[in-house]
Amino acid sequence: MIPVAFDYVAPTSVEDALAALAQHGDDAKIIAGGQSLLPVLRMRLNAPEMIIDLGKIESLRGVRDDGDAIVVGAMTPHSVVGSDPLVAEHAALVAKAIEHLADAQVRHRGTFGGALAHADPAGDLGAPALALGAEFVIQGAGGTRTVAADDFFVDLFETAIGEDEILTAVRIPKRTGWGAHYEKFVRVAHQWPIVAVAATVRVDGGSIAEARIGLTNMGSTPVRARAVEDALAGQPATEDAVRAAAQQAAAGTDPPSDLNGAADYRRHLARVLTRRAVLAAAGAA
Ligand SMILES: Cc1cc2nc3c(=O)[nH]c(=O)nc-3n(C[C@H](O)[C@H](O)[C@H](O)COP(=O)(O)OP(=O)(O)OC[C@H]3O[C@@H](n4cnc5c(N)ncnc54)[C@H](O)[C@@H]3O)c2cc1C
């Protein structure tokens, strides 16, 4: 279908984009890579009167070193983030997840910030962002605020970004030397995950000193597998120890039942994929 007619602006600064948002209120919608928004418009699930394109705002692009963290501009395409050397060195989990995100075309158009702002519970970037303890930099008319990953994902397709605000960057604390792995379960290649597990671990002398694990599509938002993280701390990085800890992967989750799988099946997947992801991450550390 063809979208309902809309007006279009492409400001060159965040301030101008915010002014356009303030002027058009509920009638406006931001577009980043358009990989999720355009299908929504074409299906006429949303009919904004004004589209505000962030594509010409250079300050929203790129990855930079910021001392104890790396900062990823919201408009940086997945393909750029996934091949960035700073990401590979300090936030390998993000690079691992992007390897499995959609196909090459989508990775070239879709943006890091757009995917996180969209907050699809099956999206591949939420769980890594949660596991890495990312912070979301959000700008509005009143200034800039930073929201922790634990508070960013509010519900299905809902985040802490206000209607008059823009996500400008994501700050990811460095986890240099940590092993990382993203284990995604799909029926055919390039699909959204039925369930996926993002795991990053710090191994010290053959033991797992610290583990951080995020689950994709096990609820209306990405969730941390905290029971597994606690169970893994101080354990040897062996198949038996990781298998035992991974049994708790579904604790506290509320997975959906749909055509791709029942909730119970997803709980089973979470346990199996968590074991695989943690063992692979420990092996890479
Ligand atoms: C065929 C196909 C397969 C895909 N497969 C996968 C997959 O396997 N895994 C996966 O994770 N994703 C997948 N995607 C989605 C892809 O990751 C998109 O890039 C992503 O969901 C949206 O990013 P975008 O930059 O295109 O955002 P857009 O589509 O432009 O925007 C998405 C939403 O976020 C809002 N928004 C965007 N940027 C900002 C901002 N800076 N501040 C505030 N609000 C903002 C928009 O208003 C809109 O509501 C797929 C997409 C397609 C088309």
Side-chain angles (χ1 to χ4, degrees), residues 167-248:
L167 175 67
T168 58
V170 182
R171 208 170 171 278
I172 306 174
K174 285 181 180 171
R175 297 196 193 275
T176 319
W178 288 49
H181 189 79
Y182 190 69
E183 187 77 20
K184 173 168 169 171
F185 189 80
V186 287
R187 279 186 298 134
V188 294
H190 304 314
Q191 262 194 343
W192 299 79
I194 297 173
V195 172
V197 176
T200 189
V201 300
R202 184 167 61 82
V203 175
D204 191 2
S207 290
I208 296 176
E210 210 178 332
R212 299 178 68 100
I213 300 163
L215 308 175
T216 306
N217 222 3
M218 286 296 289
S220 59
T221 64
V223 280
R224 282 275 289 280
R226 290 188 192 272
V228 182
E229 294 176 359
D230 292 344
L232 283 173
Q235 292 296 314
T238 59
E239 169 96 28
D240 284 350
V242 173
R243 182 187 295 275
Q247 286 310 308
Q248 302 185 51

Side-chain angles (χ1 to χ4, degrees), residues 21 28-40 46 52 54 60 74-78 97 100-103 106-107 109-120 122-126 159 161-162 165-169 182 184 186 190-193 216:
L21 260 185
K29 197 83 188 146
I30 284 170
I31 192 164
Q35 298 303 292
S36 295
L37 184 64
L38 285 178
V40 166
N46 199 333
I52 302 167
L54 303 183
L60 296 180
M75 285 297 290
T76 315
H78 302 310
H100 299 276
L101 190 156
D103 52 38
V106 173
R107 289 197 295 271
R109 290 295 307 173
T111 66
F112 196 68
L116 289 163
H118 190 54
D120 187 325
D124 286 305
L125 296 181
T159 70
I161 307 170
E165 293 181 314
I166 289 174
L167 175 67
T168 58
Y182 190 69
K184 173 168 169 171
V186 287
H190 304 314
Q191 262 194 343
W192 299 79
T216 306

